Amino acid sequence: MPLVDALKGLACALIVGHHLARYGPLQAGASSLAPALFAWLADEGRLAVQVFLVLAGFLAAASLAPDGVLHGKHPLARVGQRYGRLVMPYLVALSCSVLVAALVRPWLDGDIVPDAPDVAQLLAHGLLLQDLLGFDALSTGVWYVAIDFQLFVLAVTAVGLAQLLQRRWSLGLERSRWLAAGLVLALVVASLAVFNRDPSLDVTAIYFFGSYGLGMLVFWIGRSTRGSSWRYAMLLLALLGAAVLALDWRSRIATALVTALAVAVVQHRGPLRHRAWPALAAPLVRLGRISYSLFLIHFPVLLLVSAVVSRLLPTAPWIDLLALVATFALSVLAASELHRRVETRPASWRAVLGLFAGLLACGWLVAA
């Protein structure tokens, strides 16, 4: 789906820009050359995460239950497979972050450089439990990986429960599909109307399921073959969005709603797989395909470039701006390698355990 890749590429570029505009010594000088742009990236660039959440839900529905019914492997096997695919590049990027942080810690001041981790912190990160257990992050954005995994587990639970009830109640296939969609819709409403309004829950999946579930619902709506059903479903989503925003305006939810409705319209008109998309938006499509690796690896690159520039070059706004541009370019190169060598490899428990051991070894090395 080239359009989905293009949207992921654009969202990832904004998120990386958000981090470059907020973290490290370089942004202070560079922002003086374009203060409005840097202020917007620092404040509003984070909203691009909502695009990722909607698209993640969209793709989860396509993978788990394209027709509203769980298919393929056993649910626990799907959860294990998802964990493996998420953590293989994640563990490599975390190992790089731990090593680079130890290298640049004498050169960089401030809170940008994570402290040397202990074993408990490394284990919590490897198991995607760091925020739930209250550990400091070893890299920017690692919270999203943990939330993505929680969201997938919640989606599997909802669709699996619908299938279990369908068997127990001897429902027909069509009713089973409606039951799955109804359970997801109920979770979306609960998340948007209640849980997303409590900031203390932002380390849990239920806080973010409103955006993720909108993506799931949009995928199923797009599969509708009746125009009237599609129109009524779109109207329902629009009214739901208007109601929860009237209850409590949140720009992040407005962004998710607009993204979901836009994807639904484009999907209904058919160009999600259109051959023209790679030619029209080839750079964004390519960036989207490595977006997860870029999201993971750009922070250690930022640390390394910031340390080299702060140590070896004079302080000047243009130097800082060029260094940030170089950070983005080097991050894309590093992400391409991480994507090619790790992310695209088939996930296996042997590989996961080996990379997990590598992370622990890196932590032991920097603590020694």
Side-chain angles (χ1 to χ4, degrees), residues 8 12 22 30 32 35 52 89 91 158 215 226 230 244 258 270-271 296 304 316 326 336 349 364:
K8 288 166 60 180
C12 187
R22 282 180 61 89
S32 65
F52 265 113
L91 291 170
R226 296 176 58 186
W230 182 85
V244 297
V258 170
L296 293 173
L304 194 57
S336 298
W349 288 112
W364 173 82

Side-chain angles (χ1 to χ4, degrees), residues 50 137 150 159 288:
Q50 300 300 320
Q150 289 184 41
V159 179

Side-chain angles (χ1 to χ4, degrees), residues 68 86 88 100 122 125 127 175 184 187 218 229-230 239 286 294 310 348 350 355:
L86 278 175
M88 283 177 57
V100 170
L122 292 169
H125 275 75
L127 296 173
R175 290 188 178 183
V184 170
L187 285 172
V218 160
S229 299
W230 182 85
L239 290 175
R286 289 195 293 269
L294 178 58
S310 300
S348 68
R350 181 177 181 179
L355 294 173

Side-chain angles (χ1 to χ4, degrees), residues 240-323:
L240 170 62
V244 297
L245 291 175
L247 178 67
D248 184 2
W249 172 265
R250 288 148 289 170
S251 57
R252 60 185 182 275
I253 301 305
T255 302
L257 180 64
V258 170
T259 301
L261 293 176
V263 170
V265 171
V266 175
Q267 181 190 25
H268 184 65
R269 295 181 178 274
L272 278 183
R273 301 178 183 271
H274 200 283
R275 293 181 180 180
W277 279 106
L280 294 174
L284 285 178
V285 171
R286 289 195 293 269
L287 193 64
R289 289 172 181 163
I290 64 168
S291 58
Y292 182 52
S293 291
L294 178 58
F295 181 76
L296 293 173
I297 202 65
H298 73 276
F299 181 67
V301 176
L302 174 61
L303 286 181
L304 194 57
V305 173
S306 298
V308 170
V309 172
S310 300
R311 181 82 171 181
L312 301 179
L313 297 178
T315 301
W318 280 106
I319 291 177
D320 291 344
L321 180 60
L322 290 174

